[in-house]
Amino acid sequence: MTEEFLLMIRKRVATLVASLSVMYSLPAHSDVLTLYAAGSLKAAMSDVVSAYEKEYKTVVNTKFGPSGLLRKAIEKGAQPDVFASANMAHPRKLASQQWGSPVVMFAGNQLCALAQPELNLTSDNLLRTLLDDNVKVGTSTPKADPSGDYAWRLFEKAEQIKSGSFEMLSFKALQLTGGTDSAKVPKGLNQYGWVMSEKKADVFLTYCTNAVLAKKQVKDLQIISVPTELSVGADYGLIVRDGAPKHASQLAMYILSSAGQIILQSYGFKAVAVPK
């Protein structure tokens, strides 16, 4: 064999090896999925997606943010395959526009009060403290982020207990997160932990799951349960885009499966059914 012939053989073998490497590195399902999900789901859903990718060898790209802003992005042309919202209203609106179906509740959450360590806050004195002129109350941004909408629902419940509460609380509430103009949080930091560490609020009304993550970053923060008469639950809904790859429905079903629900529960979300 001539040296030129051997060189040609080596090149062909190298090309074949490279082709096989690419072939076997591709996922079993060639479709790459895109999931848009509420910011409050970032930690939990990232784990759900990792578990799904490992089991089904399907790549899932994710984007997390305020559900209302994600819905608006979809209405302007963004094309995620699955949208997981922190409420049922946003996916239902997309369904009404024939963007996708069905809308299914996949998890529950609850509002808690995240408080500075020096504040003498309890469930019993929560409303009195929120109404105190000297106490800065932080929330997320209504309409852009369901967490803000749930805070306003708490204000409505407060009105039933003490007349004038809704007007006062909705006026004084500082909409610190979840909006298009909200301050940018330094990379790697929990936004609620950062807001509290910067003393932007004395009390912040957010999901209990967010409060737990914030406390992991800022250890001395308090997490206070909202009393029954003010309690607000959050129903999380998902929707699959019409025309999405068939594996999009598989991802949605995985989120609803025992495997997905157990991961969500481990982050403090309420499962839609108790996993067996």
Side-chain angles (χ1 to χ4, degrees):
M1 293 184 185
T2 65
E3 189 170 324
E4 184 178 359
F5 180 75
L6 288 172
L7 182 60
M8 181 183 69
I9 294 296
R10 290 192 188 103
K11 285 182 178 179
R12 289 184 177 179
V13 170
T15 301
L16 179 60
V17 169
S19 298
L20 289 172
S21 297
V22 170
M23 183 185 301
Y24 286 106
S25 66
L26 287 174
H29 299 153
S30 58
D31 294 316
V32 176
L33 300 177
T34 300
L35 169 70
Y36 278 16
S40 55
L41 287 164
K42 186 173 183 179
M45 196 63 83
S46 294
D47 281 0
V48 172
V49 164
S50 294
Y52 172 81
E53 288 179 322
K54 185 177 181 180
E55 183 165 345
Y56 291 100
K57 307 297 187 289
T58 300
V59 174
V60 181
N61 294 325
T62 56
K63 180 176 181 178
F64 297 96
S67 298
L69 298 185
L70 293 177
R71 191 209 78 221
K72 287 184 178 180
I74 292 169
E75 290 174 331
K76 290 179 180 178
Q79 289 285 291
D81 301 303
V82 181
F83 173 42
S85 170
N87 69 6
M88 302 293 286
H90 293 312
R92 281 174 178 161
K93 185 171 183 182
L94 292 175
S96 73
Q97 299 166 359
Q98 286 75 53
W99 183 84
S101 63
V103 177
V104 181
M105 179 182 170
F106 69 94
N109 211 337
Q110 202 78 20
L111 276 193
C112 279
L114 191 60
Q116 298 292 357
E118 63 274 12
L119 203 63
N120 182 27
L121 185 64
T122 66
S123 295
D124 291 338
N125 68 15
L126 176 61
L127 180 56
R128 185 167 68 253
T129 303
L130 294 176
L131 292 170
D132 188 327
D133 289 335
N134 297 314
V135 173
K136 293 183 292 184
V137 178
T139 70
S140 197
T141 305
K143 297 184 180 179
D145 183 358
S147 175
D149 298 319
Y150 293 128
W152 254 247
R153 196 174 301 171
L154 184 149
F155 298 163
E156 290 170 354
K157 287 195 169 190
E159 179 67 22
Q160 304 305 311
I161 299 170
K162 183 177 175 62
S163 180
S165 293
F166 178 82
E167 183 178 1
M168 182 175 182
L169 290 172
S170 58
F171 176 77
K172 73 178 290 191
L174 304 168
Q175 300 174 32
L176 300 173
T177 62
T180 54
D181 298 324
S182 297
K184 299 299 181 184
V185 180
K187 189 175 181 179
L189 296 183
N190 175 274
Q191 61 181 330
Y192 306 100
W194 179 75
V195 162
M196 297 300 281
S197 69
E198 293 292 306
K199 307 295 183 182
K200 294 180 182 292
D202 300 309
V203 182
F204 197 105
L205 297 172
T206 186
Y207 303 122
C208 296
T209 52
N210 285 341
V212 170
L213 294 174
K215 186 172 173 61
K216 286 182 179 179
Q217 179 182 300
V218 184
K219 306 292 186 185
D220 56 355
L221 291 175
Q222 303 178 73
I223 299 176
I224 307 299
S225 297
V226 173
T228 303
E229 61 272 20
L230 293 174
S231 182
V232 177
D235 295 338
Y236 283 52
L238 62 79
I239 185 172
V240 177
R241 175 174 62 83
D242 286 347
K246 62 181 180 180
H247 308 305
S249 294
Q250 184 184 67
L251 172 60
M253 289 303 297
Y254 188 83
I255 293 168
L256 288 161
S257 73
S258 291
Q261 292 290 297
I262 287 170
I263 293 172
L264 289 166
Q265 277 189 317
S266 72
Y267 280 88
F269 290 94
K270 182 180 179 181
V272 293
V274 179
K276 296 181 180 178

